[in-house]
């Protein structure tokens, strides 16, 4: 099922509850929360206290995208704060299998994230453990960047692997998903569409979340 995941990175943080509520009215069904530590990526955003506040502001699942080093140290805190999904970067985990187990042990849905330069085939062995795979279609760190075209090939490869292995993980895409790219992303096989700038950038999250969802459903023939 196609879903829009509004990424609060591009929202007005001083009015976070209102921004999330508007994106939900527009059809957003999962809130994407970008956690950046200034080490793994060249930007700093938010941590468990903000997730805890968000948890009180919405009933939607919170999808925490951990762009941090040593994620194992913080996974319990995100679970306690109310995160529903947590994804860690292949590139940030020395023991990826252990990190994914830790996420599941804390009652969250485990996901693995791949930077643009990381091949999909590197994660074949852990695919049975994940609830979702997040393909980065920009280099992580900032909203509003341009979609990297070869991400479409990676989505297609993941669809092929999922079929071949008989698995059911969901395929999420993050970065540059906007009106000019969403159809191709959906046609490649992604179903969880993160959108930051396209939803919040113009200050009309309800209208723009709905426009993204409509475009995505149309491309999927739904
Ligand atoms: C980038 C973040 C994204 C970001 C996407 O590092 O992981 O979630 O919000 O922003 P847009 O949709 O503007 O490319
Ligand atoms: Zn993200």
């Amino acid at each position: 099922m196609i879903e829009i995941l509004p990424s609060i990175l591009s929202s007005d943080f001083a009015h976070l509850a209102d921004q999330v509520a508007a994106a939900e009215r527009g059809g957003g069904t999962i809130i994407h929360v970008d956690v950046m530590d200034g080490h793994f990526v060249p930007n700093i955003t938010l941590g468990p206290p903000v997730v805890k506040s968000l948890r009180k502001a919405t009933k939607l699942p919170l999808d925490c995208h951990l762009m941090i080093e040593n994620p194992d140290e913080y996974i319990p805190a995100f679970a306690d704060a109310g995160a529903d999904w947590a994804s860690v970067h292949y590139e940030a985990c020395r023991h990826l299998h252990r990190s994914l187990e830790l996420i599941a042990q804390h009652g969250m849905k485990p996901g693995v994230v791949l930077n643009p330069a990381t091949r999909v085939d590197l994660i074949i062995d852990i695919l049975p453990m994940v609830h979702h795979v997040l393909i980065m279609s920009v280099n992580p760190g900032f909203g509003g960047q341009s979609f990297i075209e070869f991400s479409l090939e990676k989505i297609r490869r993941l669809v092929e692997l999922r079929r071949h292995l008989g698995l059911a993980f969901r395929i999420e895409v993050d970065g540059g998903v906007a009106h000019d790219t969403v159809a191709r992303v959906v046609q490649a096989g992604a179903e969880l569409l993160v959108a930051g700038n396209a939803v919040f950038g113009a200050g009309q999250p309800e209208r723009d979340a709905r426009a993204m969802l409509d475009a995505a459903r149309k491309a999927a023939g739904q």
Side-chain angles (χ1 to χ4, degrees):
M1 188 181 69
I2 299 285
E3 298 191 70
I4 299 293
L5 291 76
S7 167
I8 60 166
L9 183 61
S10 294
S11 72
D12 178 353
F13 276 31
H15 301 278
L16 202 43
D18 292 345
Q19 296 267 291
V20 166
E24 181 175 359
R25 285 195 301 277
T29 41
I30 299 160
I31 300 301
H32 184 82
V33 181
D34 286 309
V35 179
M36 304 186 186
D37 66 352
H39 293 277
F40 180 66
V41 287
N43 198 2
I44 300 176
T45 53
L46 54 86
V50 175
V51 173
K52 194 173 172 189
S53 295
L54 268 173
R55 182 66 294 155
K56 291 181 220 153
T58 179
K59 291 193 165 51
L60 295 182
L62 301 175
D63 168 32
C64 290
H65 172 192
L66 304 182
M67 288 163 273
I68 62 177
E69 288 178 1
N70 304 317
D72 294 12
E73 284 179 32
Y74 301 95
I75 285 166
F78 281 99
D80 288 347
D84 300 279
W85 300 10
S87 54
V88 288
H89 271 258
Y90 173 88
E91 305 83 6
C93 294
R94 191 163 290 166
H95 304 288
L96 178 59
H97 180 279
R98 177 181 287 150
S99 301
L100 294 169
E101 274 188 338
L102 195 62
I103 293 170
Q105 281 162 5
H106 282 82
M108 299 181 290
K109 307 264 192 225
V112 61
V113 194
L114 301 181
N115 274 341
T118 306
R119 284 185 75 95
V120 165
D121 286 52
L122 290 170
I123 57 166
I124 288 177
D125 290 345
I126 53 85
L127 284 175
M129 301 175 69
V130 299
H131 167 266
H132 55 291
V133 176
L134 173 47
I135 297 289
M136 287 307 302
S137 38
V138 298
N139 287 294
F142 304 94
Q145 302 181 77
S146 300
F147 184 83
I148 295 173
E149 287 294 324
F150 70 75
S151 313
L152 296 171
E153 273 310 314
K154 294 173 73 175
I155 297 167
R156 286 192 275 266
R157 174 68 181 145
L158 210 42
V159 170
E160 185 180 290
L161 282 172
R162 183 171 60 183
R163 190 181 335 106
H164 180 67
L165 298 169
L167 296 171
F169 59 82
R170 304 189 74 189
I171 301 176
E172 181 176 3
V173 178
D174 185 6
V177 178
H179 299 286
D180 55 337
T181 54
V182 68
R184 282 177 295 141
V185 168
V186 167
Q187 282 155 7
E191 41 168 347
L192 299 172
L193 311 172
V194 176
N197 199 47
V199 167
F200 293 106
Q204 299 255 37
E206 180 175 350
R207 179 196 71 183
D208 292 339
R210 183 167 295 126
M212 282 294 287
L213 184 59
D214 289 348
R217 282 184 174 155
K218 193 171 158 211
Q222 288 179 6

